[in-house]
Amino acid sequence: MKLFWICLFLCLSQVTLADCNGLSFFLADPTWSFNSNPAPLLQITISKKNNSSCDYFLTFSAGESGNYNNRLLFNSASYTFYTLPYQLYQAFPYANILKDFPIAISSNDVVVGAFSTGGGTSQTITYRPVLRILSAYPRVGNYADHVMVSIYEGSVTGAHSIHTTQVATYNYTVEKLVDLSTARHALDFGMLSVGLVKSFDVILKYNAGYSLMFSSANNGQMKNAAGNFFATYSMKVNGSLINLNSSSKNPIVVSSGSGTSPAEGLRLPISATITSVGQLAGFYRDVISITVTSME
């Protein structure tokens, strides 16, 4: 009697799983660029050969990070150091993270579907990949990750068997970014005298290095509005003296760096010190043009 019930259970399990004859799936977007949409609703078409009832579910691997809670897109040029976090969810709100065995233990961890008897041989289900960019200036480059998607017949917590597996690729391209800001646009020395100092800060944000260039309209001098009379000054960038001679036609590089800036930006202190006053009373003026470009 005991052997009869064991045999009956096994036979029934096999009959149930056989209802999903030819079970397969098609990824509508096997390669998805988050540049198009950082949180798309992607479709998967499920199909089978017969018209009987069939329970199924899809699992999603952790990707190259190996961590379901911390899926990552990796920068192809520098795999180890630069990543962007993303995640795969059942739907909105973003609560149920999609997983694979042996971590997947309930229907909350997979995409679940079912065919009813006479309900057709094809249907469409959805899931949501979501990109999370934590920095406004992520490292320049092409980022990608590859996830194994598998379809099973049966249930996560009961009898199940795998049918087929495909690779889903998610990517994102970060272009070169560089920005410059300064709190002050004019340095007013008032009544000129040797030794007067005025200062301001330049803040740089970048993701592919930077090259900061200065150009003086009067080559490091302030010119009297009435004619060719000059007051001279010296200028320091981040504590280093710079030479603005001949810079009106050929801007000079006053600072440069590689990689990415801190989240708050790279702050460079700038100071100008009067070194001589003009021989003619009047208004003296110079214009410094500041340019920043990506270096890498």
Side-chain angles (χ1 to χ4, degrees):
M1 190 70 175
K2 182 177 181 180
L3 291 176
F4 170 79
W5 284 110
I6 292 175
C7 178
L8 179 61
F9 173 77
L10 291 176
C11 291
L12 287 175
S13 297
Q14 291 170 356
V15 169
T16 300
L17 295 181
D19 288 343
C20 294
N21 182 29
L23 186 66
S24 64
F25 68 97
F26 170 77
L27 298 171
D29 298 281
T31 299
W32 180 259
S33 171
F34 286 115
N35 295 92
S36 301
N37 187 340
L41 183 65
L42 298 188
Q43 294 184 339
I44 303 176
T45 300
I46 314 299
S47 59
K48 60 187 182 71
K49 293 182 178 180
N50 58 11
N51 202 23
S52 60
S53 63
C54 169
D55 294 328
Y56 66 86
F57 61 93
L58 290 99
T59 64
F60 296 74
S61 73
E64 294 179 34
S65 73
N67 187 331
Y68 289 101
N69 293 317
N70 189 33
R71 283 188 169 100
L72 297 171
L73 304 179
F74 290 90
N75 190 309
S76 59
S78 184
Y79 181 87
T80 304
F81 300 106
Y82 299 106
T83 58
L84 294 175
Y86 79 102
Q87 194 52 271
L88 303 178
Y89 297 99
Q90 282 185 348
F92 181 86
Y94 309 135
N96 296 331
I97 295 174
L98 296 174
K99 303 169 186 175
D100 196 2
F101 291 119
I103 305 301
I105 58 174
S106 77
S107 59
N108 290 331
D109 301 326
V110 297
V111 176
V112 177
F115 289 91
S116 59
T117 301
T121 59
S122 178
Q123 60 183 225
T124 298
I125 58 175
T126 59
Y127 74 104
R128 282 191 182 272
V130 178
L131 177 67
R132 297 177 294 152
I133 301 180
L134 305 181
S135 169
Y137 293 81
R139 175 65 175 175
V140 65
N142 298 314
Y143 293 76
D145 191 30
H146 308 284
V147 170
M148 302 299 293
V149 184
S150 302
I151 189 167
Y152 290 77
E153 60 177 301
S155 68
V156 180
T157 57
H160 55 260
S161 64
I162 190 170
H163 272 249
T164 184
T165 297
Q166 296 181 37
V167 176
T169 298
Y170 309 97
N171 59 54
Y172 186 73
T173 298
V174 178
E175 303 294 343
K176 291 182 179 181
L177 299 171
V178 62
D179 286 313
L180 177 153
S181 63
T182 176
R184 300 182 68 176
H185 298 280
L187 301 180
D188 186 355
F189 287 94
M191 187 67 69
L192 287 179
S193 64
V194 174
L196 278 179
V197 179
K198 292 291 182 179
S199 61
F200 65 99
D201 290 342
V202 167
I203 301 173
L204 302 173
K205 294 185 177 182
Y206 52 90
N207 70 352
Y210 75 94
S211 177
L212 183 67
M213 293 172 285
F214 279 18
S215 173
S216 163
N218 297 307
N219 295 313
Q221 304 175 100
M222 289 187 290
K223 184 179 180 181
N224 192 299
N228 290 323
F229 295 91
F230 298 91
T232 61
Y233 63 92
S234 64
M235 180 166 279
K236 290 183 178 180
V237 176
N238 203 26
S240 298
L241 192 65
I242 63 173
N243 185 353
L244 293 171
N245 293 342
S246 303
S247 64
S248 62
K249 294 184 178 180
N250 299 294
I252 63 169
V253 176
V254 299
S255 181
S256 62
S258 59
T260 58
S261 63
E264 67 278 10
L266 175 66
R267 185 179 294 270
L268 298 177
I270 314 295
S271 65
T273 303
I274 301 301
T275 56
S276 72
V277 296
Q279 298 177 347
L280 181 69
F283 180 74
Y284 288 80
R285 181 173 183 265
D286 189 25
V287 176
I288 303 293
S289 298
I290 304 175
T291 305
V292 64
T293 60
S294 295
M295 187 176 180
E296 300 173 24

